[in-house]
Amino acid sequence: LLVIACPGALVIATPVSFVAGIGNAAKKGILFKGGESIEALSKAKVLFLDKTGTLTKGKPELQEILTFNGTDLENLRLAAIGESYSEHPLSKAIIEGASSKGLLVEEKPTTSEFSIGKGITFVYNRSRYYLGNQKIIPFGLDKEIEESIEKLESKGMTVLIFADEMRILSLFGVRDALRSNVKELLSKLKKTGITKTVMLTGDRLTVATSVAKEAGVDEVYASLLPEDKMNIIHQYKENNYNTVFVGDGINDSPSLKQADIGIALNSGADIAKDAGDIVLVGNDLRMVKGALE
């Protein structure tokens, strides 16, 4: 006896449910790139977050300049020239800081080289300059410089070191405010199945700890290069944790791919949005909760 059944309604239920879910989320500004994203996100346990532009507003402001050689205004003008090709939020802070002080920066560097997670090296008027964190500077820092950096970082500022080939010229203290209601949001995410929140950042530990405490993040890793972020996520995956990474920058694209689910903010770099499984159109971190729900 051969019995054949074709339960069409049952078979079609799953794809119809996924399409309905994707459509409903899209109306709220949450773009799922496929049904697999919904299914994988529902199993998420550990949420990784980038700091700059994700936990923070992504609009850092230049708040303090400490100059050791040259003058504040001349060094700021040179730094703004060097940053003229960059779209990084910290670069914009330098450029806008120069503009606010009446410095017209229309010139461009002769050459400009970006080192992801470190900063930039550029040539202007036949002189080579370095701007970024300590990893970009080709020589060691003396005690006075280190103490000055620690002083700025204790105020919650990210420090950009500006130097030529021989000496430190200035330190630029940049601060980026947290997004509103971040602490409340991360607390609510625990009710959607997330068991741990982790911040991954290239900033030094002093700054990272200050921001993590204010945001209510469970764990923080600092002074990371993009590959370091990937390795941390990979370690969690090897321990059978389902992972989600939320980011917005070029630096974040490898981590967006490494995590089980990558969530990109629409305000971020195009490469990050391409790497993410989900894009938050409204650039609102609270949409992460909506996506999980």
Side-chain angles (χ1 to χ4, degrees):
L1 179 64
L2 178 64
V3 178
I4 300 175
C6 299
L10 187 63
V11 172
I12 202 69
T14 298
V16 166
S17 298
F18 277 128
V19 170
I22 291 171
N24 183 43
K27 290 177 183 177
K28 298 176 181 179
I30 304 165
L31 299 184
F32 285 92
K33 293 185 180 179
E36 289 181 2
S37 302
I38 296 179
E39 194 166 1
L41 187 61
S42 70
K43 301 172 184 176
K45 295 299 178 187
V46 180
L47 178 68
F48 294 94
L49 299 132
D50 172 51
K51 182 183 80 69
T52 303
T54 302
L55 280 173
T56 62
K57 293 178 179 178
K59 294 181 179 179
E61 296 179 355
L62 177 63
Q63 294 194 342
E64 198 164 334
I65 303 175
L66 296 179
T67 296
F68 301 91
N69 292 285
T71 66
D72 286 2
L73 291 181
E74 178 58 17
N75 288 345
L76 180 57
R77 186 183 75 86
L78 288 170
I81 289 171
E83 295 282 24
S84 58
Y85 289 119
S86 176
E87 295 183 358
H88 193 281
L90 295 179
S91 303
K92 292 178 181 178
I94 295 296
I95 294 169
E96 289 172 5
S99 177
S100 70
K101 294 184 182 296
L103 301 174
L104 295 176
V105 183
E106 297 179 349
E107 299 172 84
K108 302 291 183 183
T110 307
T111 63
S112 183
E113 182 181 345
F114 300 87
S115 298
I116 292 179
K118 298 179 183 179
I120 64 168
T121 303
F122 66 94
V123 174
Y124 174 72
N125 275 353
R126 299 182 180 179
S127 296
R128 184 174 296 276
Y129 297 98
Y130 304 86
L131 180 60
N133 58 36
Q134 191 169 345
K135 296 170 185 172
I136 198 77
I137 307 302
F139 50 83
L141 306 182
D142 62 33
K143 188 176 180 181
E144 181 188 2
I145 301 294
E146 284 281 7
E147 288 176 350
S148 298
I149 291 173
E150 289 174 6
K151 183 179 178 181
L152 292 175
E153 289 181 338
S154 68
K155 299 177 184 179
M157 297 183 196
T158 298
V159 180
L160 296 177
I161 307 170
F162 184 47
D164 59 20
E165 293 184 286
M166 301 292 293
R167 57 193 181 165
I168 301 296
L169 300 176
S170 289
L171 301 178
F172 300 112
V174 176
R175 185 174 174 83
D176 191 5
L178 271 182
R179 290 176 183 267
S180 59
N181 303 318
V182 163
K183 193 167 187 175
E184 181 184 355
L185 169 65
L186 297 186
S187 177
K188 288 181 178 178
L189 289 178
K190 297 292 181 68
K191 297 175 183 177
T192 63
I194 297 296
T195 58
K196 179 187 279 191
T197 54
V198 183
M199 187 177 83
L200 305 178
T201 178
D203 273 334
R204 301 216 320 179
L205 186 59
T206 310
V207 180
T209 303
S210 173
V211 173
K213 185 177 180 180
E214 188 179 352
V217 176
D218 296 326
E219 195 170 349
V220 59
Y221 293 88
S223 300
L224 302 176
L225 293 173
E227 54 266 33
D228 298 326
K229 295 181 181 182
M230 283 180 62
N231 291 335
I232 290 168
I233 294 171
H234 180 68
Q235 288 169 13
Y236 271 86
K237 288 175 69 176
E238 283 197 326
N239 289 322
N240 298 318
Y241 286 101
N242 289 300
T243 58
V244 185
F245 179 84
V246 185
D248 73 315
I250 294 173
N251 296 5
D252 298 328
S253 53
S255 297
L256 287 164
K257 282 291 188 184
Q258 178 67 55
D260 293 302
I261 285 291
I263 301 179
L265 301 184
N266 192 47
S267 62
D270 289 340
I271 191 172
K273 288 182 280 188
D274 183 60
D277 303 289
I278 302 166
V279 178
L280 304 182
V281 177
N283 192 35
D284 189 340
L285 199 61
R286 290 174 295 181
M287 288 181 177
V288 173
K289 180 173 176 287
L292 282 159
E293 289 172 341

